[in-house]
Amino acid sequence: MRHEYVLCRHGQSVPNVNGTIVSKLSDGVDCEFGLTVLGRQQARQAGRELWNLAGGRPVVIISSPFSRALQTAREIMGTQANEATLHEVLVDDRLRERYFGVFDGGSSENYNVTWTCDELDENSSEHG
């Protein structure tokens, strides 16, 4: 049996729109930081594409515990007409946002600072 893996980023979230970094698990699971209306639409579109790609084969969805990822997974599930091919959304805490330390809750422009530090030192943990 051949397995295929499809990765899907979450739909547009409230922090995306606000330009805010939300990387602390205790905040990330809060529905306040979930999907926007557009994000839900994006997730449903991704779901339709996933089911077309799956072609009736069983699908397992594994999600981060963050609300934006879980909401995306549930929207994807909701687009499936044949429930026999879908089980449940499995949550894996290892699939989560990197913690951005002092930048958590701050401007998403600070991502660039972190990426620069990572390029200079791949073992950098200065920003999470």
Side-chain angles (χ1 to χ4, degrees):
M1 173 183 241
R2 192 178 104 203
H3 297 280
E4 291 186 50
Y5 301 89
V6 177
L7 300 178
C8 177
R9 186 179 189 273
H10 62 79
Q12 182 189 68
S13 68
V14 172
N16 293 148
V17 172
N18 293 341
T20 305
I21 296 174
V22 177
S23 64
K24 188 172 13 174
L25 183 59
S26 59
D27 291 336
V29 298
D30 190 324
C31 289
E32 171 185 355
F33 301 115
L35 296 180
T36 63
V37 171
L38 175 59
R40 290 182 186 281
Q41 293 169 349
Q42 292 169 332
R44 287 191 293 274
Q45 179 60 38
R48 289 187 289 276
E49 292 175 21
L50 174 65
W51 303 128
N52 287 336
L53 183 65
R57 291 174 291 176
V59 172
V60 174
I61 297 177
I62 306 170
S63 175
S64 156
F66 277 53
S67 62
R68 56 191 175 233
L70 271 173
Q71 289 172 355
T72 298
R74 290 180 180 134
E75 291 291 339
I76 288 171
M77 282 179 52
T79 62
Q80 174 55 4
N82 179 3
E83 294 182 23
T85 62
L86 181 66
H87 298 101
E88 61 184 298
V89 173
L90 304 175
V91 176
D92 189 325
D93 289 345
R94 296 171 297 179
L95 297 175
R96 59 174 298 271
E97 179 82 27
R98 166 188 181 167
Y99 179 60
F100 285 90
V102 296
F103 294 141
D104 189 68
S107 170
S108 60
E109 292 184 15
N110 288 315
Y111 284 129
N112 291 330
V113 174
T114 301
W115 307 149
T116 301
C117 288
D118 287 352
E119 286 176 10
L120 296 173
D121 178 7
E122 65 184 36
N123 296 313
S124 173
S125 61
E126 182 179 350
H127 304 107

